[in-house]
Amino acid sequence: MNIGKAAKLSNLTVKTVRYYADIGLVSPVKNNNTGYRDFSEDDVARLQFVSKARKFNFSIQECEELLSLYSDKNRSSREVKALTLEKISQINVKLLELKDLKKQLSFLADNCKGNDRPDCPILDALSEC
């Protein structure tokens, strides 16, 4: 199938599918008659897999590792679980950072009078070095 259909079936943009093919996440066959890439159902399944993994915030490198593990029928689930637990740990760190950021912004917003005067602690905080 063509790249447009592969993209649509995998809920990705054509540009993203082309990039994934360029970096080797999928290996479409080049059609010698047209010069275009022909994507197989296996390619689409891999694209769908990566699309879902990216929604869980797995990096391209982690997606490559997950695809490798998925393809290995002799794998243990230990490696997959370890990758997932590491991702959860990273998300927890990010959540703490976001909570702190929210606290700081809330403090600034609470201390800004939001009136016609030019005094603004939000802008003061942003302009500090």
Side-chain angles (χ1 to χ4, degrees):
M1 72 188 73
N2 68 30
I3 194 169
K5 186 172 182 180
K8 185 175 182 176
L9 289 172
S10 56
N11 287 329
L12 297 167
T13 65
V14 169
K15 185 176 180 178
T16 300
V17 172
R18 188 175 293 115
Y19 173 69
Y20 288 170
D22 289 345
I23 64 171
L25 285 178
V26 292
S27 301
V29 176
K30 186 174 180 181
N31 184 322
N32 291 328
N33 296 328
T34 64
Y36 293 118
R37 306 171 207 211
D38 283 333
F39 291 81
S40 67
E41 289 185 23
D42 184 53
D43 290 325
V44 170
R46 290 174 65 87
L47 289 168
Q48 290 169 337
F49 184 99
V50 172
S51 178
K52 290 175 188 174
R54 296 288 286 152
K55 286 180 180 156
F56 283 113
N57 206 34
F58 284 103
S59 68
I60 297 294
Q61 182 179 355
E62 291 166 331
C63 287
E64 289 174 333
E65 192 171 348
L66 287 167
L67 277 170
S68 176
L69 290 166
Y70 177 71
S71 298
D72 180 4
K73 300 305 177 197
N74 295 317
R75 71 181 176 272
S76 71
S77 62
R78 183 177 306 113
E79 292 175 80
V80 180
K81 184 173 182 175
L83 271 172
T84 303
L85 291 174
E86 176 60 27
K87 183 55 59 187
I88 291 168
S89 177
Q90 292 169 5
I91 290 169
N92 284 332
V93 168
K94 191 67 166 174
L95 282 171
L96 290 173
E97 290 171 356
L98 288 170
K99 285 179 182 177
D100 186 52
L101 180 62
K102 180 184 176 189
K103 182 179 173 183
Q104 291 176 44
L105 285 173
S106 294
F107 175 81
L108 292 172
D110 290 344
N111 288 291
C112 180
K113 292 184 172 127
N115 56 20
D116 292 335
R117 301 205 29 101
D119 299 343
C120 181
I122 299 168
L123 293 177
D124 292 344
L126 292 174
S127 66
E128 289 177 2
C129 295

